Amino acid sequence: MTVQDSTAPDAALGLAGIPHTGEGVTADGHLTEPQAEDFHHARSAPPDPRWYKSAVFYEVLVRAFNDSDGNGTGDLRGLADKLDYLQWLGIDCLWLPPFYASPLRDGGYDISDFRAVLPEFGTVDDFGYLLDQAHKRGIRVITDLVLNHTSDAHPWFQESRQHPDGPYGDYYVWSDTDDRYSDARIIFVDTETSNWTYDPVRGQFYWHRFFSHQPDLNYENPEVQEAMLDVLRFWLDIGIDGFRLDAVPYLFEEEGTNCENLPRTHEFLKRCRKVVDDEYPGRVLLAEANQWPADVVEYFGDQGVGGDECHMAFHFPLMPRIFMAVRRESRFPISEILAQTPSIPSGAQWGIFLRNHDELTLEMVTDEERDYMYAEYAKDPRMKANIGIRRRLAPLLDNDRNQQELFTALLLSLPGSPVLYYGDEIGMGDNIWLGDRDAVRTPMQWSPDRNAGFSRCDPGRLYLPTIADPVYGFQAVNVESAMNNTSSLLHWTRRMLQVRTEHPAFGHGDFTELGSSNPSVLAYLRRHEGDVVICVNNLSRFPQPVELHLSEHDGCVPVELTGGVRFPAIGELPYLLTLPGHGFYWFQITQPHEEGEPQ
Amino acid sequence: MSTRPLHAVESLADDLRAWLPAQRWFAAKGRDLTDVRVERAEVLSSGEPTLVHALLDVDGELYQVFIGVRYQLPEHLNGSLIGRIGESYAYEAAHDPELMAGLLDLLATSADTGSLHWRPEPGISLVTGLRARPIGVEQSNTSIVYGYHYILKLFRRPTPGANRDVDLHRALASAGSTQVAAPVATVEDDDCVLGFAQRYLGDAAEGWATATASVRDLLAEGDLHAREVGGDFAGEASRLGAAVAQVHADLAEELGTQVDHDVDAGVAEMHARLDAVLAEVPALAEHERTLREAFDAVRAVSAMPVQHIHGDLHLGQVLRTTAGWVLIDFEGEPASAPRERVRMRSPLRDVAGMLRSFDYAALHLLAGDEPDNQRLTRAAEWADRNRSAFCDGYATVGEDPRADAALLRAFELDKAVYEVAYEHRNRPDWVPIPLAAIRRAPGIP
Ligand SMILES: Nc1ncnc2c1ncn2[C@@H]1O[C@H](COP(=O)(O)OP(=O)(O)OP(=O)(O)O)[C@@H](O)[C@H]1O
């Protein structure tokens, strides 16, 4: 046992009494770390190697969802208690932002122990319980993992700065000068002036692509690579279904480059993938690389073998384009970005979203487009953050039900696996008076009761106040009343998810845009083997006619997917549809004999 | 009938006389036809159905028609019936996907059928086996779309000699232009170009529809300015300006430029056109002085650069595709004689055409309504904003068209005078649109 003093590597963790890294030191100077065998393992999810291609993801902040112990902060047990709701809604996979031990100086992305859970959220065993209960309901769980850096409170960094010659001396990127890799841009220009920071303890500079309290791990060191692969194994053994790998482009550095997307970074991702494929088939890696699709596809790896790096990656530029297209009543913002999106390997899938826990990021748009988005969707300066807009879907769309439905229909039918953001299914609002990105991280609204049914605590102890305004407040907007009202947005969303599940074309199908002479109507065809679905969206607030050229399906009958109504058969002539303002249709194209009475 | 197509079509003459005037592409509307003669008729494919190609001389004008012949007429072709040839039905073959599909094979195989030569462009090998469909828009020719690949325009009134649409497209294609749909094939006889196939831009929407969606958005807002509404079109207008300037630059590069030293002759033409319209439309009289002064101001220009231009540029001649703006239909101004159309002209003529088109897009929703000052002001704001955005975009590639204010102004007014006459004859409710433009025209610079 090491002595508990302020210089002990695990001193900063606040994890006394629960298993954590650095509780002991081995003979050769390595820190002991918790092992997966020490914890309960969850039962497996139903086997399906391609599940992520058709899954609907739901991003949920543990802190914001449900508080089981009444301390004002949501936790893993609380989330587990709400799995029935998520199963009822039709969610296939939860995505949890990091819940690891952390000083929380960067929303938990500053991880101080990869093998311990943030105490206010629970324990590793609580996570195992959540996983087990989720798998029991056919729901999978993935979480964020930051490969690139750790918190400066991580015992590895404490060891590294204090013992340059010890086993961790080389775990981070140290230098006597602060002038190496000068071509790498500074990401957080508001807070950081350099990618190097001087550490008085070690008397050297350390490298960090993000905040100075997040030193970059040194991937040149083979031991670091092994250690991080073991972190993957730790959680995979407990039963997690995959990771969203945060900030992947930055793992390696090389003089004379911008230190992003380097070949050796891809090599390491291939190693991660191999671990998953060989040891944990059916689990997934999702790359977080906020870049243009043409660059992001690199992270799927080799097309020839169906992809050998990440299974999934987010499609960032699509989201602002959806907003622009509807506001401009023109399909071109969406059509353009999809036309510029390269094809991806057969085993790969995009993740697409309308909103998430970050601001609506406008990094992947031109300056002109960013000005446009600010002018249209962030009329109050407080709605802006960094280069984005900190608002939830409902207020972004002026709480207009038709638009919320249209946006959701687009999200569920465009190519990629949709990611819903907690609370958007009931039309929750935001609180732009809260600082940073907290506007969109307020407690989930379960009922009209105290604290929106989120916690039993004294309202003053809530980690963030509930939304209380007359329009979006929990008295008006909550799960309980939405469930009691079958015409609510919640019920509508659930029905749409059901329809989506019934049609492999949405998840697995290819995508063909069906041009039309009406620039306000976006129509496309999704096809997977025999399943052919046509989606027609009116991006304008005014009713619109559209003529579609479907003669390829001459004789077939379009059946509307939400109600099953059969539309007139397709013939040689253009197929005329009229759509109400912001209306949309999903049709299955059926052979004439498929439906109805035997003939 | 396959041996005697000429007689067969001649036997249809009375039916054709009744049928032709109802066709959108038929030019001499409203006049009684006296004489329909069959210049030539050839079978392109025989069997059930049979396809006959015919050139008709209709009171001295040449027309191209495709006639399908079937023993049994499927329901979707009922509306296309022309008459009977013996026991069979004769109908507009352009509406028959089955027959039109065959034309693509003729093009792909470089076929010669009687007097017709079907040719892919050099280096192009055409995909075949595609479904054919008529585009189904009102147009002065007839276009057939093949799958998502090609669009074949069949010229309804072929003229002997070079075809401007084909020639300018070829020039632009050879300059590597991305602002046109690449030419892929032609159909010709020894005198005329009869058909022209290009790459089909399946994702395209017309500029007019795109622009008017923006206007609609604006007019639905009571109190917002054009730059404030979400449907703002200025970004598009600017990109369109740059595309037009690029086309002008490419045409100048490929086909050369000249300097017109006889500017006075052009001024005289504008005056002459005005004379004619004044005689017809009394409402124009109050603007005569403004107009004449604007035309005369051009005399100060001693030499005017000219080149090949689009010639009939407006928002209906541009397509927004996912890769940017594309210009179509380089046939030139429909109202002028073929010999006139091939003349080199000032590129500002195209700019003037597009600027007038923005004006139309802004105001068309108000046509026929009681004048409403609020809406008129909004619409005028939209027009001004997009007209200047178009010029800004143009200036990023070429000379700022506003630098030649006197010329641009005269060309715009000349165009507006033409519009007054056109609207007076065809759509009297719309006359106020060009009239308002003339009234709003800035004074002599
Ligand atoms: N390459 C193309 N790809 C897609 N659509 C096209 C293409 N070319 C033309 N079109 C469509 O066909 C319509 C008619 O084309 P075009 O203007 O060339 O024919 P036209 O008969 O000369 O027409 P107009 O009567 O307008 O002079 C256009 O308005 C456009 O919508």
Side-chain angles (χ1 to χ4, degrees), chain B residues 17-325:
Chain B
R17 210 191 326 270
W19 177 78
L20 282 168
Q23 305 313 305
R24 162 71 221 247
W25 39 263
F26 189 71
K29 289 222 169 50
R31 256 193 282 137
D32 277 341
L33 298 190
T34 49
D35 197 18
V36 175
R37 277 186 302 138
V38 186
E39 283 276 299
R40 193 171 76 211
E42 296 171 344
V43 172
L44 294 181
S45 64
S46 50
E48 167 75 6
T50 289
L51 177 58
V52 180
H53 178 261
L55 288 179
L56 307 178
D57 178 331
V58 183
D59 292 332
E61 300 250 23
L62 194 63
Y63 282 91
Q64 170 174 230
V65 293
F66 289 78
I67 299 171
V69 183
R70 287 180 184 254
Y71 290 117
Q72 275 179 350
L73 203 59
E75 201 185 305
H76 67 97
L77 291 173
N78 279 347
S80 312
L81 186 68
I82 300 172
R84 314 272 308 226
I85 298 179
E87 293 290 285
S88 298
Y89 296 96
Y91 60 95
E92 164 64 277
H95 297 163
D96 185 346
E98 193 179 339
L99 287 176
M100 289 299 105
L103 303 189
L104 182 58
D105 293 320
L106 297 175
L107 289 169
T109 53
S110 221
D112 294 290
T113 55
S115 347
L116 303 188
H117 313 299
W118 307 76
R119 296 283 179 272
E121 290 291 285
I124 297 282
S125 76
L126 295 171
V127 178
T128 55
L130 300 174
R131 234 169 213 287
R133 60 175 170 84
I135 54 169
V137 302
E138 298 266 291
Q139 64 175 138
S140 45
N141 294 294
T142 296
S143 298
I144 312 292
V145 173
Y146 292 94
Y148 287 96
H149 289 66
Y150 313 116
I151 180 165
L152 169 63
K153 171 147 76 173
L154 301 166
F155 294 104
R156 286 302 188 169
R157 300 167 67 195
T159 47
N163 180 298
R164 194 173 186 271
D165 200 16
V166 174
D167 292 346
L168 295 195
H169 268 104
R170 283 183 177 154
L172 286 163
S174 96
S177 172
T178 53
Q179 282 83 34
V180 290
V184 296
T186 54
V187 192
E188 301 179 22
D189 64 13
D190 294 336
D191 302 318
C192 317
V193 176
L194 295 165
F196 178 33
Q198 290 173 268
R199 193 154 285 294
Y200 178 61
L201 308 167
D203 59 358
E206 266 190 34
W208 176 259
T210 319
T212 50
S214 161
V215 175
R216 224 182 288 121
D217 185 51
L218 172 68
L219 293 181
E221 297 289 351
D223 53 350
L224 291 179
H225 294 283
R227 77 188 136 69
E228 293 169 336
V229 291
D232 185 20
F233 193 70
E236 292 291 357
S238 162
R239 283 187 283 277
L240 177 57
V244 170
Q246 188 58 50
V247 165
H248 285 160
D250 289 342
L251 285 173
E253 177 76 22
E254 290 287 314
L255 302 172
T257 57
Q258 289 173 6
V259 177
D260 179 357
H261 294 283
D262 193 7
V263 173
D264 283 352
V267 173
E269 281 168 23
M270 293 194 279
H271 280 298
R273 272 192 292 270
L274 176 58
D275 292 340
V277 180
L278 280 169
E280 200 183 336
V281 190
L284 195 57
E286 59 170 306
H287 305 296
E288 179 174 355
R289 231 187 90 203
T290 325
L291 291 164
R292 296 219 187 269
E293 279 175 8
F295 297 156
D296 286 332
V298 175
R299 293 185 204 278
V301 179
S302 55
M304 181 172 74
V306 292
Q307 63 164 98
H308 286 294
I309 63 171
H310 181 279
D312 182 26
L313 195 60
H314 54 80
L315 284 164
Q317 302 279 37
V318 292
L319 302 178
R320 175 65 158 95
T321 73
T322 53
W325 287 99

Side-chain angles (χ1 to χ4, degrees), chain A residues 42 88 113 151 179 205 254 274 331 391 511:
Chain A
W88 173 85
D113 190 339
S151 159
D179 54 4
F205 294 92
E254 209 162 277
K274 199 161 159 24
R331 66 180 140 95
R391 309 214 63 190
F511 170 92

Side-chain angles (χ1 to χ4, degrees), chain A residues 15 82 126 245:
Chain A
L15 295 175
K82 294 296 185 183
D126 289 337
L245 301 178

Side-chain angles (χ1 to χ4, degrees), chain A residues 201-212:
Chain A
V201 176
R202 178 155 158 157
Q204 276 188 309
F205 294 92
Y206 61 90
W207 175 252
H208 55 86
R209 286 312 299 274
F210 294 84
F211 295 110
S212 59

